[in-house]
Structures are given as C-alpha cells and as structure tokens.
Amino acid sequence: MTLSFPLFAQEWVVKRTFELPEFKTVKGESISKLKVGYETYGELNADKSNVILITHYFSGSSHAAGKYGKESESGYWDSIIGPGKAVDTNKYFVISSDTLANISPADPYVVTSGPASLNPKTNKSYGMSFPFVSIRDFVNVQRMLLDSLGIKKLYAVMGPSGGSIQAMEWSAAYPDDVSRVVAVIGPGLSLPPYVIALLNLWASPITLDPAWKKGAYQKNGVFKGLVESLKLITHSSVYFDWGPSNGGELVGDQYVIEKALTDRARARAEKVDANSILYTVKAMQSFNIEDEAKNIKAEILFIPAEKDMIFPPELFEKTAKKLCGLGKKAEVYVLKGRGGHLDGISKIADAGFVISQFLSRELGRSNPCR
Amino acid sequence: MTLSFPLFAQEWVVKRTFELPEFKTVKGESISKLKVGYETYGELNADKSNVILITHYFSGSSHAAGKYGKESESGYWDSIIGPGKAVDTNKYFVISSDTLANISPADPYVVTSGPASLNPKTNKSYGMSFPFVSIRDFVNVQRMLLDSLGIKKLYAVMGPSGGSIQAMEWSAAYPDDVSRVVAVIGPGLSLPPYVIALLNLWASPITLDPAWKKGAYQKNGVFKGLVESLKLITHSSVYFDWGPSNGGELVGDQYVIEKALTDRARARAEKVDANSILYTVKAMQSFNIEDEAKNIKAEILFIPAEKDMIFPPELFEKTAKKLCGLGKKAEVYVLKGRGGHLDGISKIADAGFVISQFLSRELGRSNPCR
C-alpha cells in the first residue's frame, strides 16, 4: 500500500437545490414549491450517457461521497465513490439527491419537502397535513431533477436499504431508461410482512408520546418518543455482537449499552423530524413492484449483507431467482461481516471490485442466471 | 402410527399455590405473603430422585403440559412432557412453577407475587413499589417450593428462553443439587448487550404512554403502550417469513400484518400487567453467571433454534465451548426450522429424541466436548 498526499487543494462537494413550482403525487395531491437537495461527483459527458444515480437510505441524505469542507464528514459510500474507486468519478457522473420527507430536515445539509416544510398556503409547517408520498413519488422527483439537467437515461442507479428500494422502483417505473441497478441490503420487489410490521414498530414510540401532539409538536423539539424511535431503528440495523464489551455493566440504574444507545439517539434526534419518520415509514411500507417486475430491463446486481437482521440475504436470493425466471439478468454477491444491516454502508468497499466489474461490463454479455 | 383412545376419564392438571409468609430478595428486601402457582405431572418416587423442574419463558406460566380441563389449552411443551414422551412422566416427577412478577397476573391460571399484587401493608397494589427481583430470586422461590415438598435434588431443570436463563441460574446457584440442564433458545451465561438493549426497547412503549401513570394505571386497564410493547415482543420472537401471505395488503389505512399484530397484542393485553413486564425485563437483564460458571456441576444440553432472532445458535455454541474449556460437559443440538425464537416452543418435539437420550444417559459417561 502506498500513501498519497494531494498536491493541490481538494475539491469540496457542493450541495445544490432542485425546485419545482408544483409537483403532483401519484395519489393526485399537489405540493407547491417542492425542493430537494442534490450533489454531484465527476463530470457529465457530452452525450450524457455516463450518469449514475445514488438513492439514499431511510435516515440518510444525498451525501454519498466526498466532503462539503475541511470539517465535514465524508459521504456514507465514500469508500466506493470517487476518482479511481469502484464507482469511478473519472468515468461516471454521479448524482445523489435527498428524498421527499427526508427524516433530517434540521440538518443544515439536507434540503427536502416534507411535513416539516412550510405550507405556502398557511405559512405554517405542514405537519401531518403533508400529502402521503410513495417511493414512486421519490423516484418521480428524481426523474424531474434529471430532466432539468437534460439527462434522459441512467447508466446505473444504486443505493443501500431504502435506497435499494428506490433503485428497484426506478427499474420498474422507467424500464427503458435504466440500464443497471446495484441494490444493496434491500428486500427485492416488495417488503415482507415482517418488515412492514417492523416499520410500524419504528413509528409507534412517536405517536405514543403525548409530546407528539398529533404532529403539531414544537418545531425542532426533541421528545422522548422520537428518541425511542431512533433507538429502535439503530437496534434493527446491528447484529448480536454489537455494542461495547462492557455493555452489560450496570452503572446507576442503567446498563452501559442502554445509555450508549440512548445518548446516540438523543444526539441524532436534534436533526430529525418525527413526522418525517412517519412519512418515510409509510413510503417504505408501500413499496411493491411485484407485478411490474416483468417490465424490468435493467441488469441487476444484488448485494445483501450476511448478517442483516432487516433484509437477510435470502430475500435478494429469492428475488434474483424470480427475476431470472422472468428472463431478466440478476446476480447476488453477499457481503461478509458481522455488522448486520449496517455492513451495507460500512463494508461496501468489500464489494468494490464486484461493483466495478458489474458497472464496466457490457450489457447483454453475461449470463448471471446460469 | 396407531391412534389410541383413553378408556377412562383423562386426568386433568391441577394448579396449586405455594405460599411463603416472608421472602427476602437477594438485594435484602422483604416480600410478605409471597405466592407462586405450580403444577406437577407424574409421580414423585420414594427417594425423591426423579424430579425435573420446568422453568417458564418471559410471557409464559407454569402451564407446561396437560390440560386443566376439557376446554383448557395444552401446556406449551405438551409435545415433550407426558406419559411415554421425551420427558416421560411415567419415569419423572415434573414440576413447573410461575415466576415472581409473572407478566400475566390477570390470567385466572397464573398465581404470582409482583407489582400487581396487593401490598398487605397498604392494601393496594404494589405497582412500582414492588421490590426489584432478579433471576436468582426466581430460583430461590423455586428452591423453597421444592423444599416444602421435601425435594433436595433435581434430576434435571429445563426451560425455554427466560426459562433457560432460570435453568442456567439454578446450575450456578445450587451446583450440588442440579444434575442436568436442558437450556432451550437462550443466551448461555449472560445476556449480550444487544439483548439487554432489546429488553429496554420492549419496556419503552409502556413508560412512554401517559396512561401508564408511572405505574399507577387503572387495574386491568389495557392501554396503548402495553399493546405496543406486546407487539414488539411478538415481533422479536418470529422470523422473516412470519405472517399471512396477504400481510402486505393495505386494508383501509392499515396493512393486514399491522392489524393482525395489533389484534393479537390487544387480546393478550387483557391478561397482562404492564408493570410486571417492566419487572421481568429488569430481572432478565440482570442475568449474569459468567463468573459462577466455574462452579457448575450439571451436564448441559443446549438447544438453540436455527433462525432465532433473539438468541441465535452461536450464543449457545460459544457457551458450550467455554464450559467445555472449564472442564464441564456441555453439548448443542440445533432445532431446524423457520419459526425463529418461537421454534423453541412449537418445534421442541423435533428435539424429543435428543432430550430423552440426554435425560436417560448415566452421568459422567459421555464426552460431549470432544
């Protein structure tokens, strides 16, 4: 291994905003002055054929790679996105956007329209009056964002977890415009009832807490139900050997692991909007492209994580089999590791070579269903 | 296979009550007029050497086998306890008791002392003023129950989940008096931090709900936080392919699986006391016999369930290895199946032959650690 030192100032990632005067949801409701944030890495080529869209997970944002500045954190998939990396920004133009109803609207780097946004008609936050938005709506906003940049076709779309759900939705919603999908730590074509129920349980602590006030809580207020929800979300994402080795020690009336989990959730809660969790839960639950799977034209690489407790590898394996049965091209590469669901973020570099090969392979040449 | 029809009226199981005028907890607190229920199957032999104690799981009761009457449900391990079954009541005297702070005090067949009991000093329910009770306290009450029957030694102690925790605690607390342990779907010698956190999350919905009133809720009141807690407990106990095949269908504003989970929890809640869940959570969290493991003399059969999402097989496998390293005799048999944690109840008959062999084997004859 050689260490390299950049000779010139590093280029920082720029967060941009895409705006639409009016957006109509699949259910026919209108959202005025819609905004979502996005960022790009690499350069768009002349015929706009090198575009890779990155779709983010439940509690993520557009920040998939690079840094906004010296003090900023790297994007969640920085280990595979960048010059010379698996998703090589010397070759590809990578674009990543915030979803509708992103759960962290108080994060200064998140731009989203959701229940925490001002309703231009009332000049108050929408709260629970914000229209229901589905994964298809997430994708349709991304579609319009790409349209605004003159981009018609995607070389690939890829994302982890809730991002894999959006990536799969893209392949079914716009089959002619998506050539490749890399779906990481996701369910496949729909959520199993088990996960629909889990999402319901993620939402429960919020609506149980009277401080929620049916969605009309004080803006930027951190309340206990929100913290409990974030605790549960974190707990779902890990594996059995998670936590510090002294996690089982009782300090005062709390176990070390209880305190660690609560402290982390409380810190995260500062940026999170409880109603937006409820909206994102509903959006995820509604994901179902089982009937549309027959339309998919993209070649698909599924990357589950071995010890995922939300979406175990068998879900992607079953999906690949079904797609192969329908004459599609789908293959599975399992990430090894004991990090659970989160391995789809923290260990993604282990699939770097497989992703890079998949992306550079000519379409129609392989027969992964053998 | 032949069908047999009983020629005589079947014998019904009788629920009995064990009472203690005064019980002192490990922490030194007193509980007056302590009561726990118990039931027995089979006959105690002359030298009282054929006793098998069954310890129950988190939301279970003493009702491990048989029926209380024509309309009553069979005990949870009826498939392995009875005449001619793996735990053969023609050979063994089986005794099974309710724990302290059993979570279902409103079940007419549960007898327990816990937060829902009347405090004889105030003539009101203890609520959260009931003393903290640990797994060691559970076991000490069972010890006194056995003493009251003149029973000094256990041929075996066995139980699933929280029952396996009690069984292991027995082996460390009274090493000279326990010859065999059958620990099913449990953690081993202590809870991993992951499960300590999970138990914390089971308790959260209760304390979040203002209807809990810091434990002073209306007696027998079913409140939303209790229902949400029971939903989460059920969800932890199953596996990914749980639920009806139409679970992902939206009916009104609820998914079929959400309604099924909620309906089930609401029905169960009628018998359950929320404070008792909090006490049982604290008891389970405190389980830790890592340092006492060196004292264990019993031979141990560990039976994890393949797809257990609370206590995966690797926990028992690690524990067996540790015990073998300490010169103990421990072996593991994995229950196959896709039912998750609950397979330790519903599929236990699949381990019937292994249990029967383990129980009838002479002590000191095998070398399971090879």
Side-chain angles (χ1 to χ4, degrees), chain A residues 48-364:
Chain A
K48 300 181 175 176
S49 63
N50 70 335
V51 181
I52 295 181
L53 175 69
I54 310 287
T55 45
H56 75 69
Y57 53 99
F58 192 95
S59 52
S61 74
S62 71
H63 197 38
K67 287 181 167 208
Y68 296 130
K70 220 169 176 174
E71 308 299 322
S72 130
E73 276 183 39
S74 296
Y76 62 86
W77 264 1
D78 191 66
S79 65
I80 53 162
I81 303 173
K85 296 183 186 175
V87 182
D88 187 350
T89 51
N90 290 329
K91 278 167 76 179
Y92 305 115
F93 176 67
V94 178
I95 177 164
S96 176
S97 85
D98 294 324
T99 58
L100 286 177
N102 182 293
I103 75 161
S104 307
D107 181 328
Y109 280 108
V110 167
V111 179
T112 185
S113 286
S117 306
L118 279 192
N119 179 346
K121 284 179 193 147
T122 64
N123 230 13
K124 285 183 187 165
S125 292
Y126 281 99
M128 297 304 287
S129 77
F130 192 74
F132 164 79
V133 284
S134 64
I135 300 296
R136 185 64 57 102
D137 292 314
F138 289 15
V139 162
N140 285 345
V141 170
Q142 288 156 1
R143 170 94 216 193
M144 291 175 199
L145 160 61
L146 294 171
D147 282 348
S148 77
L149 302 171
I151 296 163
K152 292 292 166 199
K153 308 249 176 190
L154 289 175
Y155 186 87
V157 51
M158 52 195 288
S161 195
S164 85
I165 286 174
Q166 294 167 65
M168 291 302 294
E169 185 88 31
W170 259 98
S171 74
Y174 302 106
D176 292 321
D177 302 331
V178 181
S179 302
R180 295 166 191 81
V181 172
V182 182
V184 179
I185 52 168
L189 304 171
S190 65
L191 294 195
Y194 177 89
V195 179
I196 292 176
L198 180 64
L199 286 161
N200 171 295
L201 292 162
W202 286 4
S204 291
I206 292 170
T207 56
L208 263 178
D209 189 336
W212 175 59
K213 294 183 184 166
K214 300 194 173 178
Y217 48 84
Q218 208 193 327
K219 219 190 156 187
N220 299 337
V222 171
F223 54 94
K224 197 157 179 278
L226 172 58
V227 174
E228 291 301 319
S229 170
L230 292 170
K231 280 168 66 179
L232 190 53
I233 292 171
T234 296
H235 194 267
S236 302
S237 307
V238 299
Y239 191 62
F240 296 102
D241 37 14
W242 158 83
S245 60
N246 68 341
E249 275 174 30
L250 194 62
V251 178
D253 60 351
Q254 254 192 337
Y255 288 91
V256 167
I257 192 70
E258 291 178 329
K259 187 172 174 349
L261 186 61
T262 305
D263 287 352
R264 177 164 191 258
R266 200 169 283 143
R268 280 180 71 194
E270 298 287 342
K271 291 181 179 171
V272 171
D273 172 59
N275 291 337
S276 300
I277 290 183
L278 304 183
Y279 275 80
T280 304
V281 158
K282 290 276 181 206
M284 295 288 168
Q285 285 180 319
S286 73
F287 169 64
N288 191 327
I289 55 163
E290 296 284 350
D291 291 342
E292 290 173 288
K294 61 181 186 302
N295 305 329
I296 293 173
K297 294 186 179 169
E299 298 191 4
I300 304 177
L301 170 61
F302 290 113
I303 307 184
E306 185 188 3
K307 299 294 190 187
D308 192 332
M309 307 267 285
I310 303 176
F311 301 124
E314 58 188 78
L315 294 178
F316 270 163
E317 279 154 8
K318 218 176 79 185
T319 307
K321 212 168 168 181
K322 177 172 172 173
L323 290 174
C324 285
L326 290 169
K328 319 292 175 191
K329 294 199 164 168
E331 61 205 283
V332 179
Y333 176 83
V334 181
L335 278 173
K336 299 283 173 203
R338 295 183 58 83
H341 189 64
L342 288 179
D343 276 348
I345 309 291
S346 55
K347 295 230 167 178
I348 191 64
D350 292 356
F353 182 73
V354 174
I355 292 169
S356 148
Q357 289 289 302
F358 175 78
L359 290 177
S360 52
R361 201 168 71 198
E362 230 178 293
L363 289 174

Side-chain angles (χ1 to χ4, degrees), chain B residues 99-350:
Chain B
T99 58
L100 285 177
N102 181 293
I103 74 160
S104 307
D107 182 327
Y109 280 108
V110 167
V111 178
T112 185
S113 285
S117 306
L118 278 191
N119 180 345
K121 283 178 193 147
T122 64
N123 229 13
K124 285 183 189 165
S125 292
Y126 282 99
M128 298 303 288
S129 76
F130 191 75
F132 164 78
V133 284
S134 65
I135 300 295
R136 185 62 58 103
D137 292 313
F138 289 14
V139 162
N140 286 345
V141 170
Q142 289 155 1
R143 172 93 216 193
M144 291 174 197
L145 160 61
L146 293 171
D147 282 347
S148 77
L149 302 172
I151 296 162
K152 291 291 166 201
K153 307 250 177 190
L154 289 175
Y155 186 87
V157 52
M158 53 195 287
S161 194
S164 85
I165 286 173
Q166 295 167 65
M168 292 301 294
E169 185 88 32
W170 258 99
S171 73
Y174 302 106
D176 292 320
D177 302 332
V178 181
S179 302
R180 296 165 190 83
V181 172
V182 182
V184 179
I185 52 169
L189 304 171
S190 65
L191 294 195
Y194 177 89
V195 179
I196 292 175
L198 180 64
L199 286 161
N200 171 297
L201 292 163
W202 287 3
S204 292
I206 292 169
T207 57
L208 264 178
D209 189 336
W212 175 59
K213 293 182 183 165
K214 300 196 172 174
Y217 48 84
Q218 207 192 329
K219 218 190 158 190
N220 301 336
V222 170
F223 54 94
K224 197 157 179 278
L226 172 58
V227 174
E228 291 301 319
S229 170
L230 291 170
K231 279 168 65 179
L232 190 54
I233 292 171
T234 295
H235 194 267
S236 302
S237 307
V238 299
Y239 191 62
F240 296 104
D241 38 13
W242 159 83
S245 60
N246 69 339
E249 276 174 30
L250 194 61
V251 177
D253 62 349
Q254 252 192 339
Y255 288 91
V256 167
I257 193 70
E258 291 178 329
K259 186 171 173 349
L261 186 61
T262 305
D263 288 351
R264 180 167 188 256
R266 200 169 283 143
R268 281 180 69 193
E270 297 287 341
K271 293 181 179 171
V272 171
D273 172 59
N275 290 338
S276 301
I277 290 183
L278 305 182
Y279 275 80
T280 304
V281 158
K282 290 277 181 206
M284 296 287 167
Q285 285 180 319
S286 73
F287 169 65
N288 192 325
I289 55 164
E290 298 283 352
D291 292 343
E292 290 172 287
K294 61 181 185 303
N295 305 327
I296 293 174
K297 293 186 179 170
E299 299 191 3
I300 304 177
L301 170 61
F302 289 113
I303 307 183
E306 186 188 3
K307 299 293 190 186
D308 193 332
M309 308 267 285
I310 303 175
F311 300 123
E314 59 188 76
L315 294 178
F316 270 163
E317 279 155 7
K318 217 175 81 186
T319 307
K321 212 168 168 182
K322 176 170 173 175
L323 290 174
C324 284
L326 290 169
K328 319 293 177 190
K329 294 198 164 170
E331 60 205 284
V332 179
Y333 175 83
V334 182
L335 278 173
K336 299 282 174 203
R338 296 182 58 84
H341 189 63
L342 288 179
D343 276 347
I345 309 291
S346 56
K347 296 230 167 178
I348 191 65
D350 293 356

